[in-house]
Amino acid sequence: MGAVDAQRVQAAQDRAATFVLITNLPASSFDARRLLEEYKGQTVIEHRFRFVKDPAFVDALYVHKPERVEALGYVLLLAALVLSLIERRARQAPPLPTPTRGLLARPTGQEVLHHLRGLIVVPLDAQTRQLFVPAVHTQSVAAILAALGFTDTIYTQVPPRPSG
């Protein structure tokens, strides 16, 4: 067995300990340490962005320009907002039936998306699609869509393009 390369270990630890915090707060009122402390104190935010901290996700991203880092930050914020809205609507609805876990009274956004993962959408023509739902998921998909305030038409009908 070979010796441990201390420099490579340190480089890996430094890479794993580095992440981006985006804020619109003035640097004069929040130095980096205080900003990090505020961020770490927000457990809900930590929960929402745990997918961003996954090395498999972060290592796959490489942006050259600061503007692109900022744009990526906004995209991730929008994704977290949509996931939060999904979770909120699902939790306001009656418990959702699932084929494997029974009724979910307080489903997470991730659980909701997990149950929609098996759907297959097949284009029939330019304006219509066919939705295939595995038989075991029929009841849970219908309940999830109803809880979110949608019907299966979000999968089967293409909205008209705005003219202009």
Side-chain angles (χ1 to χ4, degrees):
M1 191 159 132
V4 175
D5 184 347
Q7 287 181 332
R8 289 182 73 187
V9 169
Q10 185 62 45
Q13 287 175 337
D14 290 345
R15 187 173 54 247
T18 303
F19 54 93
V20 176
L21 290 177
I22 299 172
T23 182
N24 59 358
L25 299 171
S28 59
S29 62
F30 280 88
D31 64 2
R33 179 171 295 284
R34 182 165 176 228
L35 182 64
L36 180 61
E37 288 170 355
E38 289 289 326
Y39 175 75
K40 290 290 187 178
Q42 298 180 15
T43 57
V44 172
I45 298 298
E46 286 286 321
H47 176 73
R48 295 283 178 238
F49 283 95
R50 72 175 174 241
F51 67 93
V52 178
K53 293 181 177 189
D54 179 6
F57 178 82
V58 176
D59 287 349
L61 301 174
Y62 182 77
V63 289
H64 293 279
K65 298 179 180 180
E67 305 86 47
R68 292 186 179 177
V69 172
E70 183 178 3
L72 178 61
Y74 285 122
V75 169
L76 294 174
L77 283 171
L78 286 172
L81 174 65
V82 169
L83 188 63
S84 294
L85 292 172
I86 287 171
E87 184 174 289
R88 181 174 183 220
R89 283 188 176 185
R91 287 182 174 186
Q92 289 174 340
L96 300 174
T98 66
T100 55
R101 295 193 47 220
L103 292 176
L104 296 178
R106 291 189 46 82
T108 65
Q110 294 290 343
E111 286 176 311
V112 171
L113 294 179
H114 173 77
H115 290 290
L116 297 177
R117 221 174 258 151
L119 302 181
I120 299 171
V121 180
V122 177
L124 299 177
D125 57 43
Q127 292 300 312
T128 56
R129 310 284 185 259
Q130 173 114 19
L131 177 65
F132 291 97
V133 180
V136 70
H137 293 287
T138 302
Q139 184 182 10
S140 60
V141 167
I144 288 170
L145 291 178
L148 300 180
F150 299 116
T151 65
D152 65 351
T153 59
I154 64 168
Y155 294 104
T156 60
Q157 293 180 358
V158 178
R161 291 185 177 192
S163 59

